[in-house]
Amino acid sequence: MPTARGPADRRNRIVLPAHLPSGSHDARRWAMILDRWVCQHERHLFDGPGFVWGEFRCPPADGLWRTDNRIREHAVVAFAGSAVRITAGRFDTVATNESVWYSPGVRYRRTMVATRGDHCTFVALSPELAARLRIRPGVQARVCTDRAVMAAYRIRREIACGHPDELALEELALTTLAELSGADEALSGTSKEVEKIKEAIAADPGRQWSLAELAAIAHYSPWFLSRMFPRVTGMSLWAYRRQQRLRASLQEALRPEANLAAVAQRYGFSSHSHYSRVFREAFGCTPSAARDGSARAL
């Protein structure tokens, strides 16, 4: 997880915004795919609304094992990819199936447990998001679910594929943080606001919507929208948008003369093969089979 080590780190680190207005069009519109090493230990994968998602590596021979480490100016959530002992004052845990939550500026020590060193996923949080996740001063451990571990793998795989879906990344990251935090925040939104968002997606399903853009329609924060939408609709924003893209594309895709690569591009799919795979998952056959009548039924 991010540490303070010297001037080089200070030059390279990504500074998160102190506040992201829930309904302002000045909010950053897009997730930024970073996928870069900013120092020898930190790889920043992407910058989302109020957070940076990354990976931390500390090999066995590294000097960080022999000195105090300090979290910088933003709270951090880390979930282990390898077992490591974390101590901070009276806090002492071997992080294996826990997520570890650090408040800004906290000092801690790590002790090697796994022979490969410390490999973890970390999320650096803006003050607003840290408050929503109820991060308290010091260091705390909370259960790290199997779904959170799989989410980290999915995010890494999505970025590595070369054509990541930014909305899916943002939504997956925020819902994972909500699950790990255990914060049961009261959701006071209404179905009327959610219907506005559904309408906007359905009206332009091929558009590359960001979470911040959709949240602005209902005057929500991205964090609130990522929790409110599935509670009202029973499905994630990403799944709803994919459903609308597929259904909107059907009429064109099933025409005998259809250019499926062009249809895929028009409705926001990264390629013909991507479109065919998602189509099969939804309808049980490929677009070509549906068009040629070789599929028994959609």
Side-chain angles (χ1 to χ4, degrees):
M1 65 292 301
T3 57
R5 300 195 66 221
D9 275 351
R10 287 196 291 271
R11 286 196 303 270
N12 289 320
R13 71 183 177 215
I14 292 178
V15 179
L16 297 177
H19 177 70
L20 289 176
S22 60
S24 171
H25 291 284
D26 293 333
R28 185 191 44 72
R29 294 176 59 186
W30 299 102
M32 183 183 298
I33 305 303
L34 304 171
D35 196 13
R36 66 189 182 200
W37 289 93
V38 298
C39 66
Q40 68 185 93
H41 302 106
E42 291 179 40
R43 179 188 181 193
H44 290 177
L45 294 178
F46 79 101
D47 178 6
F51 65 89
V52 166
W53 188 285
E55 295 177 336
F56 180 85
R57 299 289 182 266
C58 185
D62 198 279
L64 290 181
W65 298 102
R66 299 184 295 274
T67 187
D68 284 353
N69 294 255
R70 184 174 68 85
I71 298 298
R72 297 194 289 255
E73 70 270 30
H74 294 285
V76 169
V77 180
F79 30 114
S82 58
V84 60
R85 190 183 200 98
I86 300 295
T87 54
R90 290 192 289 181
F91 177 87
D92 186 352
T93 190
V94 176
T96 53
N97 66 333
E98 294 90 6
S99 57
V100 183
W101 299 65
Y102 301 85
S103 63
V106 71
R107 291 186 178 275
Y108 65 96
R109 280 232 177 194
R110 57 166 54 84
T111 304
M112 197 180 318
V113 175
T115 56
R116 65 175 182 151
D118 186 359
H119 287 206
C120 73
T121 296
F122 74 85
V123 191
L125 308 170
S126 69
E128 181 187 46
L129 187 52
R132 289 185 178 276
L133 292 170
R134 302 177 185 177
I135 292 185
R136 301 187 300 272
V139 185
Q140 297 88 40
R142 304 175 188 176
V143 172
C144 185
T145 64
D146 291 337
R147 284 197 298 180
V149 173
M150 181 55 66
Y153 170 78
R154 287 175 58 193
I155 287 172
R156 189 184 314 115
R157 183 185 63 183
E158 182 78 9
I159 291 173
C161 78
H163 44 77
D165 185 322
E166 287 88 352
L167 179 61
L169 291 178
E170 291 176 316
E171 189 174 23
L172 179 59
L174 289 178
T175 54
T176 299
L177 288 171
E179 179 181 318
L180 289 175
S181 74
D184 189 20
E185 182 181 36
L187 300 180
S188 58
T190 68
S191 59
K192 183 177 180 180
E193 281 74 24
V194 170
E195 290 302 318
K196 293 178 183 177
I197 293 168
K198 289 171 60 181
E199 180 181 4
I201 294 173
D204 192 1
R207 179 172 171 173
Q208 297 294 342
W209 291 100
S210 74
L211 197 57
E213 284 182 313
L214 291 171
I217 292 171
H219 304 287
Y220 288 161
S221 69
W223 159 262
F224 189 88
L225 177 59
S226 70
R227 304 188 67 201
M228 186 68 186
F229 191 90
R231 185 166 296 191
V232 172
T233 65
M235 63 196 311
S236 68
L237 274 161
W238 170 79
Y240 175 78
R241 187 196 59 184
R242 184 176 69 171
Q243 179 194 78
Q244 295 306 304
R245 285 179 169 180
L246 284 171
R247 294 183 180 184
S249 72
L250 272 177
Q251 184 174 358
E252 292 182 45
L254 299 184
R255 291 174 181 165
E257 71 281 7
N259 181 330
L260 293 179
V263 172
Q265 183 178 25
R266 187 174 301 115
Y267 288 96
F269 296 94
S270 60
S271 64
H272 179 188
S273 61
H274 180 216
Y275 177 59
S276 295
R277 176 174 57 79
V278 174
F279 192 101
R280 178 189 283 275
E281 289 173 358
F283 300 122
C285 64
T286 64
S288 298
R291 181 182 58 192
D292 299 340
S294 55
R296 293 181 180 179
L298 284 178

